[in-house]
Amino acid sequence: MLGVLAAAPAAAQPSGGPYGPIPQSYEVPAAGTVYYVSPNGDAAAPGTALARPTTLESAVARVVTGDAIVLRGGTYRVGGLQLNQGITLQPYLGERPVLKGTRVASEWEALRDNVWRTKWTTLFPAGPLGWWRREREGMRTPLHRFNNDMVFVDGRLLKSAGWEGELDEDSFYVDYTNGYVYLGADPKDRLVEITAHDIALHRPSRPVHGKPSDGKGPTIRGLTFTQYAYRAIDIEGKKPSTTADQEPTDDPVGVSDPADHGKEVVGTTLEHVTISFTSRVAGYFRGDGLTIRNSLVSDTGTEGIYVIGSSDVLLERNIVRRNNIEQLTGYFPAAVKIFNQSYRVVVRDNLVIDHPHSNGVWYDVGNVDGVFANNHVEGTQIGFFFEISRDVVVAGNVFVDNGQGIRVLNSAGARVYHNTFLNSPVLFDRNERSAKDDHFGWHPQTGPDVDERDGHVFEGNLLAAGPGFAKPLLNFEQPAALCGQLTRPMTTRVDGNAYFRADLGDEPLVVWSPARNKDCRTGFATLEAFRKATGLEAQGKAWVPHEGTLFRSVELRRFELAALPPGMQEVAVAPEALEVLGWSGPTHVPGAHPVAQQ
């Protein structure tokens, strides 16, 4: 982790970009063999000369470790590519290759009531995973939403409908029994694309094309993957890749030493890649040494980037936006999911935005030693979620208009330093959930047990509530049923934080648990009352109500302090926060940003 952090920028807040793919001109790499491919290439051509390109499918079948595939610009309607060698895939110079999982539907039959249909052979019916509870969610999410077929009209994604009579200009219906796709929009003179592939690139950890796996992940640069049913990229671990109806994340199963998983495919790298419009996830990524940087992941289903059982991972300067576009309920969506005993995963200086129906970045189940630094997270349900895991440093981030900026649940050792929160409350909570009779079986065994969920730190943060925002800004919660069992606080270090509230309101500033009352919780309207009751926040200060401009420009997303508020002073920064953020001085004003230079 320290090696990864050594390259961190000196600025200790979101850099302001550039984020996402940056236009590049890619020189032909020095590789073992370079294969040139084009959308209209000849499968029988050798592909070793620019003038005689082969097909992408043919090149993928031929390459061995150290080779490269150079793609000419254009649209490749391909899928199901299998590759188990450590190679490079990239464009030719500044050209723009786009891999699409759809085919064009051009033969339509007009029916009554402004309905059209076409025969379609590549359909992807699916259902919810076994843990989805129909008795709770069936009245919110119709089952047809779990099918993975997608239909686009002139590039616009349509919504699925339950039958022909429900169709309108914005929807489609699939008759799986007879193999028809129905539209409520006239397809004449329109580009209608329907999914034909459920994956673009599959990287097995086992033999394929007559070659054993070399254990090395691919390097993918400058490509676009779009319109794939289910997922665009799938990197295997020990467990073979699953179908849409199978649980994809149980790899490993049960408590596992990090030396025993994540080793099958190592070193996958994505740079300046775009993945969009996938029915479920942009990609399942398994294997140590994964790097995803300057990429765009957009308009995905249940997850965007899904990292499983992997260590020493770096995600930086990416844009991740608009996850759970079908608004599935009863699932647990996240734009980025770090799952199942992943160690030392660094998520740094990313833009995570526009997720009203999804969480932002979620470290879930048995993760250890994470770093979440210098990210801008806006418009999510929960911006940063750390669950059933141990030890993470969260520093220098900006959280704006999230249902919760940070939630730390049933975890230990979350250290939260010098973040800025606007209308984004913070929650540390724990409950009685354990491996006994748990809905997900062994998952709680991978994290701290019920009596170990403490050791959190919250120092040097800036929490602000704008006009009309009345929720408590900092919350520590546990159920009353545990009050007699868990009497030790979740944290003993809460200090140097700054609280701003535009309105007085009726809600407390801070909620604290465990407390000695029947509810096991109490609220404090003032910082003075909180300090007196707990002994915490010796250096904390509150400005309630606060009038005037606090930040340089919320509208332009400039979160430097407009001026030093009266009474605010710099506070000491913990050594591990200094290391993560790259700050040289031992003190800093609360929050991620300094005071604006006039």
Side-chain angles (χ1 to χ4, degrees), residues 63-368:
V63 287
V64 297
T65 302
D67 290 347
I69 298 176
V70 174
L71 290 80
R72 302 302 304 268
T75 298
Y76 296 75
R77 295 193 183 272
V78 297
L81 302 171
Q82 288 196 309
L83 170 71
N84 69 353
Q85 304 288 291
I87 70 157
T88 297
L89 296 100
Q90 68 168 62
Y92 177 68
L93 300 179
E95 297 182 2
R96 297 185 60 187
V98 177
L99 280 66
K100 277 194 171 185
T102 53
R103 288 187 288 110
V104 175
S106 56
E107 301 294 328
W108 292 92
E109 175 188 1
L111 305 178
R112 64 188 301 176
D113 296 333
N114 294 316
V115 171
W116 293 260
R117 73 176 183 178
T118 188
K119 194 74 173 176
W120 203 254
T121 58
T122 53
L123 296 174
F124 302 95
L129 292 175
W131 43 259
W132 188 75
R133 299 175 65 179
R134 186 170 185 175
E135 71 277 11
R136 289 182 55 178
E137 305 297 337
M139 63 291 299
R140 297 179 176 180
T141 302
L143 285 174
H144 62 78
R145 286 283 159 79
F146 293 99
N147 296 314
N148 287 338
D149 302 275
M150 305 177 83
V151 178
F152 301 83
V153 175
D154 295 332
R156 180 172 57 91
L157 174 65
L158 305 184
K159 294 181 180 179
S160 65
W163 66 300
E164 298 94 323
E166 191 180 329
L167 288 168
D168 59 19
E169 284 269 341
D170 300 316
S171 59
F172 71 96
Y173 163 68
V174 179
D175 174 0
Y176 290 98
T177 301
N178 297 299
Y180 285 100
V181 174
Y182 290 77
L183 289 186
D186 188 347
K188 184 179 179 181
D189 299 325
R190 313 280 288 274
L191 174 64
V192 181
E193 298 167 290
I194 304 175
T195 41
H197 303 282
D198 68 350
I199 186 173
L201 181 63
H202 175 209
R203 202 301 180 191
S205 59
R206 57 209 80 249
V208 66
H209 300 307
K211 293 167 282 191
S213 171
D214 66 358
K216 299 178 181 179
T219 295
I220 305 173
R221 300 189 179 107
L223 304 184
T224 293
F225 302 84
T226 189
Q227 299 181 353
Y228 283 91
Y230 192 20
R231 74 281 198 221
I233 297 174
D234 200 331
I235 311 295
E236 276 190 6
K238 289 183 178 179
K239 178 180 178 180
S241 293
T242 57
T243 65
D245 292 329
Q246 297 173 316
E247 176 56 60
T249 61
D250 289 349
D251 189 5
V253 174
V255 178
S256 175
D257 189 287
D260 295 330
H261 61 262
K263 307 297 183 289
E264 286 68 38
V265 178
V266 175
T268 299
T269 300
L270 275 66
E271 296 176 327
H272 305 286
V273 168
T274 295
I275 304 177
S276 66
F277 293 106
T278 51
S279 290
R280 287 294 167 264
V281 304
Y284 291 113
F285 297 96
R286 305 171 184 88
D288 297 352
L290 167 70
T291 298
I292 303 177
R293 61 164 59 94
N294 280 111
S295 292
L296 169 64
V297 175
S298 180
D299 297 281
T300 48
T302 51
E303 287 83 20
I305 298 170
Y306 210 137
V307 178
I308 304 169
S310 305
S311 298
D312 302 301
V313 172
L314 174 62
L315 310 179
E316 66 175 355
R317 296 192 299 277
N318 303 294
I319 302 172
V320 190
R321 66 186 184 194
R322 295 196 295 269
N323 185 52
N324 195 15
I325 54 177
E326 292 186 283
Q327 301 179 31
L328 300 179
T329 67
Y331 266 55
F332 305 95
V336 178
K337 184 74 73 74
I338 314 298
F339 196 80
N340 195 355
Q341 304 172 83
S342 293
Y343 284 63
R344 298 176 300 280
V345 176
V346 176
V347 179
R348 183 179 67 207
D349 197 18
N350 299 278
L351 193 60
V352 182
I353 57 173
D354 199 8
H355 297 285
H357 308 290
S358 173
N359 297 300
V361 179
W362 191 345
Y363 287 66
D364 188 18
V365 182
N367 301 300
V368 179

Side-chain angles (χ1 to χ4, degrees), residues 272-580:
H272 305 286
V273 168
T274 295
I275 304 177
S276 66
F277 293 106
T278 51
S279 290
R280 287 294 167 264
V281 304
Y284 291 113
F285 297 96
R286 305 171 184 88
D288 297 352
L290 167 70
T291 298
I292 303 177
R293 61 164 59 94
N294 280 111
S295 292
L296 169 64
V297 175
S298 180
D299 297 281
T300 48
T302 51
E303 287 83 20
I305 298 170
Y306 210 137
V307 178
I308 304 169
S310 305
S311 298
D312 302 301
V313 172
L314 174 62
L315 310 179
E316 66 175 355
R317 296 192 299 277
N318 303 294
I319 302 172
V320 190
R321 66 186 184 194
R322 295 196 295 269
N323 185 52
N324 195 15
I325 54 177
E326 292 186 283
Q327 301 179 31
L328 300 179
T329 67
Y331 266 55
F332 305 95
V336 178
K337 184 74 73 74
I338 314 298
F339 196 80
N340 195 355
Q341 304 172 83
S342 293
Y343 284 63
R344 298 176 300 280
V345 176
V346 176
V347 179
R348 183 179 67 207
D349 197 18
N350 299 278
L351 193 60
V352 182
I353 57 173
D354 199 8
H355 297 285
H357 308 290
S358 173
N359 297 300
V361 179
W362 191 345
Y363 287 66
D364 188 18
V365 182
N367 301 300
V368 179
D369 288 337
V371 173
F372 187 78
N374 299 353
N375 302 283
H376 182 103
V377 185
E378 182 170 351
T380 74
Q381 294 178 337
I382 303 174
F384 171 78
F385 197 173
F386 193 69
E387 183 178 9
I388 316 178
S389 296
R390 295 180 183 270
D391 298 322
V392 67
V393 174
V394 184
N397 305 285
V398 173
F399 298 91
V400 182
D401 293 334
N402 302 282
Q404 291 168 344
I406 289 177
R407 184 180 184 188
V408 176
L409 172 62
N410 291 337
S411 295
R415 286 97 69 198
V416 181
Y417 304 109
H418 284 275
N419 303 278
T420 293
F421 302 88
L422 175 60
N423 299 340
S424 299
V426 176
L427 172 62
F428 295 85
D429 62 330
R430 59 189 177 188
N431 57 40
E432 57 268 57
R433 183 182 179 187
S434 69
K436 182 180 179 180
D437 299 324
D438 188 75
H439 190 58
F440 290 95
W442 52 268
H443 287 184
Q445 296 177 15
T446 66
D449 207 352
V450 175
D451 61 351
E452 300 173 318
R453 295 163 180 173
D454 51 29
H456 307 313
V457 174
F458 193 75
E459 293 181 336
N461 300 283
L462 189 155
L463 303 92
F469 190 91
K471 297 178 182 177
L473 297 185
L474 179 59
N475 305 266
F476 298 88
E477 300 268 9
Q478 71 181 53
L482 285 179
C483 212
Q485 177 183 349
L486 301 180
T487 59
R488 186 171 61 216
M490 284 170 266
T491 176
T492 55
R493 287 173 55 190
V494 178
D495 202 9
N497 302 293
Y499 304 78
F500 294 85
R501 192 172 242 167
D503 305 323
L504 283 172
D506 298 324
E507 291 291 329
L509 188 69
V510 178
V511 172
W512 179 256
S513 185
R516 295 180 180 177
N517 56 37
K518 64 182 180 65
D519 296 325
C520 199
R521 70 191 293 273
T522 188
F524 298 97
T526 68
L527 215 52
E528 290 75 15
F530 176 61
R531 184 181 299 122
K532 183 177 179 180
T534 64
L536 301 171
E537 280 291 25
Q539 298 182 78
K541 287 185 170 58
W543 290 258
V544 180
H546 177 265
E547 296 181 355
T549 300
L550 178 60
F551 299 112
R552 182 167 186 168
S553 176
V554 172
E555 294 77 12
L556 295 177
R557 299 306 185 251
R558 297 292 299 272
F559 288 97
E560 304 98 324
L561 290 168
L564 190 67
M568 178 180 281
Q569 296 180 337
E570 292 191 352
V571 296
V573 184
E576 65 177 348
L578 289 173
E579 184 174 21
V580 167

